Amino acid sequence: MLARQLLLGAGCSLRRFSSASRGAVVVSTMQAIRAGEEDVRQRLAQINEEVQKLLALKEQLKQLTVDDDGSGETAAATPAPGKPAAASEPGNRNLSLKTPKGTRDYGPEAMALRQRVLDQVVRVFRRHGAETIDTPVFELKEVLTGKYGEDSKLIYDLKDQGGEILALRYDLTVPFARYVGMGNVFNIKRYHIAKVYRRDNPQITRGRYREFYQCDFDIAGTYDPMLPDAECVKVVCEILAEVGVGDFVVKLNHRKLLDGIFEACGVPADKFRTACSSVDKLDKTPWEEVRREMVEEKGLSEEAVGRIGQFVTLHGGTELIERLAADETLRSIKVAMEGLEDMRLLLQYCEIFQVADRVSFDLSLARGLDYYTGVIYEAVLLGGGGAGGGSSADEEITVGSVAGGGRYDNLVGMFNPKRKQVPCVGVSIGVERLFSILEARAGGKTRTNETEVYVASAHKGLHLKRLEILNKLWSAGLKAEHSYKLNPKLLAQLQHCEEYQIPYAVILGDGELSRGVVKLREIATRKEEEVALDTFIEELRRRLLSAA
């Protein structure tokens, strides 16, 4: 464009001069054109250099940000061309700060709520005589693979760190089976509360994360049919009732019965598990979509899938058991009859445990994990409401199942040197989903500490006496704290007590101390009373016990 303008200008000039002077003008004009073109080239080079710098910076930011594929790894930053690598220093402004996908931080109020729920869960576990264990957060990858069916792709693999191929644990059941088999444990009733990891598609509002807690209760050992299984159902009902998340139902089914139904419907034996994984989607997916998957993706015949559809839509109680037991096709299949007999016994025990109104025999329940061999169960909330019938806020909270489990009699033998089997049954509580519901419902400020008494001073020069009183309270087993300022204002100290909901304050003053007394203030009512210095700890303990 610049060259064209210069040429036009040169043409106009040439018309005004004689032929003798035109040559000089042409020469000077061509020099100007060349100078203009050089200037354009330099500007383009500068622009290109700046673009390259921006692209390099963009790539650097990408590598510093946790990737979205769930690997959770942060790559080293790539320096821009011609620039030295930036030192890894705290406060690097190029770092995009975020928690990895599918994770979150928990502040004091969230942790107070979580701890309360976990304490309630542990109380139920211990009420039923369970003892606790712990296992490594990562396992040999071969321990985990082949146990989770189609969900095996969600396992987090770890890089080789010295000859062992490892993966983060996907659940607590397989590590428990490895513990039992490897340690030659033949009977144990255990609970385990720990984090597990899945490269799943996170849904934060549904309490679905990639890092989350599981609370497992399992009974290992050879016992009479359905006695441990019924206790697991009872444990689930007690926990959900105690936590107070609202109405729920525990769906029950049996893997042997499902296998018998698949056989009766004409499904090849080698496709039982893949058919099971499709049926397991019925709680989230309409039957027509599941049917299409079974036919088009799993290769089952239209006729077989049509027969399956007639069964998996059924649910009920003992009347459904009798109806299935009378089915001519199922009666000829041994495993189906064994499953029905187990279900009949389980419902009888649930009646005795007074949870029959909380359970439903549901043939759509499949539980997609490969290791289940007998009874399976899953607890789901009924609607979004709480115990009081629910609110509009509750109705927006959809969390799906909140507990699940079943019998797995053949898993331990995979880890025993002599292949000795130890029958097991257990349940896992989806506490993250419970947390999501309770956190959304929480109203007002949640107390985040357990401090029972605050030691305050009314004026300057009493910090040494505060420390003395504080030490006496700690030695007496009371939960106490004070200000870390030498001479704090009394109003600020009392406001701290109110903000953190500390029930009592002991206020020290020279006048009171000279008379051998202190002021004991009840924070909620702001009432103060003088108490003898020698007996104020006993008086404080008495008041705390009466308020408990």
Side-chain angles (χ1 to χ4, degrees):
M1 187 67 178
L2 178 61
R4 185 179 178 185
Q5 291 173 347
L6 289 171
L7 284 172
L8 289 172
C12 293
S13 299
L14 284 173
R15 295 188 189 99
R16 297 190 186 98
F17 294 97
S18 64
S19 59
S21 49
R22 284 178 184 174
V25 173
V26 169
V27 170
S28 62
T29 301
M30 294 306 295
Q31 289 175 343
I33 291 171
R34 282 194 291 271
E37 289 176 342
E38 182 63 27
D39 182 59
V40 169
R41 280 195 294 270
Q42 289 178 357
R43 289 175 180 270
L44 288 174
Q46 290 176 351
I47 292 171
N48 185 59
E49 183 180 353
E50 293 301 321
V51 168
Q52 293 303 316
K53 288 180 180 179
L54 289 172
L55 289 174
L57 180 59
K58 181 180 179 181
E59 183 62 27
Q60 182 179 345
L61 290 173
K62 274 185 182 178
Q63 292 172 332
L64 283 170
T65 304
V66 177
D67 59 7
D68 282 345
D69 66 356
S71 65
E73 296 174 4
T74 304
T78 303
K83 300 273 186 178
S88 178
E89 297 178 355
N92 187 340
R93 293 188 178 182
N94 291 330
L95 180 62
S96 177
L97 290 175
K98 64 187 285 288
T99 59
K101 184 177 180 180
T103 66
R104 59 167 285 192
D105 293 324
Y106 297 93
E109 290 197 15
M111 285 304 301
L113 174 64
R114 290 165 73 86
Q115 192 57 55
R116 176 174 65 80
V117 174
L118 290 176
D119 289 344
Q120 291 173 318
V121 171
V122 169
R123 277 200 300 271
V124 174
F125 288 161
R126 290 179 175 173
R127 185 187 305 154
H128 288 261
E131 52 194 344
T132 190
I133 67 166
D134 195 14
T135 60
V137 72
F138 46 82
E139 297 273 355
L140 295 174
K141 186 178 179 181
E142 60 189 278
V143 168
L144 304 181
T145 52
K147 314 298 189 307
Y148 304 110
E150 295 180 1
D151 285 346
S152 291
K153 63 181 181 292
L154 303 180
I155 295 174
Y156 269 107
D157 295 334
L158 299 179
K159 286 186 176 179
D160 185 351
Q161 298 291 336
E164 292 184 329
I165 307 301
L166 306 174
L168 295 178
R169 60 189 175 202
Y170 176 91
D171 65 5
L172 300 178
T173 303
V174 171
F176 172 63
R178 193 261 312 148
Y179 167 85
V180 172
M182 193 176 77
N184 285 316
V185 177
F186 299 116
N187 57 75
I188 184 175
K189 183 191 293 185
R190 83 88 170 86
Y191 73 89
H192 189 185
I193 297 177
K195 287 184 176 181
V196 299
Y197 301 85
R198 298 181 186 179
R199 295 182 67 241
D200 207 347
N201 184 31
Q203 295 174 285
I204 305 302
T205 58
R206 292 170 58 93
R208 192 170 187 170
Y209 300 92
R210 289 182 167 182
E211 177 193 57
F212 57 95
Y213 271 102
Q214 279 192 337
C215 301
D216 280 22
F217 175 90
D218 293 80
I219 302 172
T222 303
Y223 303 107
D224 289 326
M226 295 300 104
L227 289 173
D229 310 65
E231 185 166 357
C232 287
V233 176
K234 176 67 172 176
V235 164
V236 172
C237 293
E238 286 185 4
I239 288 174
L240 295 182
E242 193 158 322
V243 171
V245 288
D247 291 336
F248 61 90
V249 63
V250 181
K251 298 180 181 180
L252 307 175
N253 203 358
H254 203 293
R255 270 291 176 85
K256 287 185 177 182
L257 177 58
L258 274 176
D259 287 351
I261 289 173
F262 292 149
E263 182 180 341
C265 293
V267 177
D270 61 347
K271 292 191 175 182
F272 282 4
R273 294 286 74 83
T274 187
C276 209
S277 67
S278 293
V279 173
D280 188 48
K281 299 175 183 178
L282 280 172
D283 62 331
K284 301 180 286 289
T285 308
W287 165 247
E288 280 305 313
E289 290 186 29
V290 173
R291 185 194 64 78
R292 184 166 54 252
E293 176 186 289
M294 296 175 81
V295 174
E296 297 177 3
E297 298 179 23
K298 304 297 179 67
L300 301 181
S301 69
E302 289 272 7
E303 184 181 1
V305 174
R307 291 178 180 175
I308 292 172
Q310 296 175 6
F311 283 101
V312 297
T313 55
L314 301 176
H315 59 88
T318 53
E319 75 287 348
L320 179 57
I321 292 178
E322 301 308 324
R323 176 181 169 184
L324 294 173
D327 186 284
E328 291 296 332
T329 309
L330 289 179
R331 288 178 65 180
S332 62
I333 300 173
K334 183 181 177 182
V335 291
M337 291 297 101
E338 291 175 352
L340 284 173
E341 187 56 38
D342 281 349
M343 290 301 301
R344 183 181 286 111
L345 195 56
L346 178 60
L347 291 182
Q348 180 184 350
Y349 292 156
C350 287
E351 184 74 37
I352 295 172
F353 282 155
Q354 297 183 332
V355 294
D357 59 329
R358 295 288 198 178
V359 302
S360 171
F361 178 25
D362 193 326
L363 291 181
S364 69
L365 179 64
R367 302 290 296 170
L369 303 182
D370 282 356
Y371 51 67
Y372 289 124
T373 59
V375 167
I376 49 177
Y377 28 73
E378 184 171 277
V380 296
L381 299 185
L382 298 177
S391 66
S392 58
D394 291 333
E395 289 167 4
E396 296 175 0
I397 308 164
T398 307
V399 297
S401 66
V402 291
R407 176 162 288 279
Y408 51 101
D409 288 348
N410 300 330
L411 188 57
V412 171
M414 297 181 183
F415 307 113
N416 188 276
K418 297 181 180 179
R419 298 295 175 186
K420 181 174 177 59
Q421 296 291 359
V422 179
C424 300
V425 64
V427 65
S428 180
I429 308 297
V431 287
E432 296 290 352
R433 298 183 174 185
L434 302 182
F435 294 150
S436 296
I437 297 171
L438 297 174
E439 198 171 7
R441 289 182 187 166
K445 183 175 175 60
T446 301
R447 189 178 179 193
T448 58
N449 66 79
E450 296 183 2
T451 305
E452 296 169 319
V453 58
Y454 189 94
V455 182
S457 52
H459 48 75
K460 295 180 179 180
L462 290 174
H463 70 279
L464 295 180
K465 192 64 178 180
R466 286 207 321 262
L467 294 178
E468 180 185 327
I469 297 296
L470 195 65
N471 190 56
K472 287 183 178 180
L473 289 165
W474 287 339
S475 299
L478 295 172
K479 300 168 184 174
E481 61 174 304
H482 75 131
S483 171
Y484 294 122
K485 292 186 176 182
L486 291 178
N487 300 303
K489 294 181 179 179
L490 180 59
L491 180 60
Q493 296 172 83
L494 297 179
Q495 286 176 340
H496 176 89
C497 294
E498 292 184 355
E499 180 180 355
Y500 289 92
Q501 302 176 43
I502 300 171
Y504 289 97
V506 174
I507 303 175
L508 311 181
D510 282 338
E512 288 82 5
L513 290 173
S514 65
R515 291 186 284 111
V517 297
V518 294
K519 284 184 179 179
L520 185 59
R521 180 184 177 100
E522 187 176 352
I523 299 301
T525 63
R526 300 185 178 182
K527 291 181 180 179
E528 295 182 357
E529 181 180 342
E530 289 188 351
V531 181
L533 187 59
D534 294 338
T535 61
F536 87 94
I537 291 180
E538 288 73 16
E539 175 63 19
L540 178 61
R541 183 179 283 114
R542 183 189 66 79
R543 295 192 183 194
L544 289 169
L545 287 174
S546 63

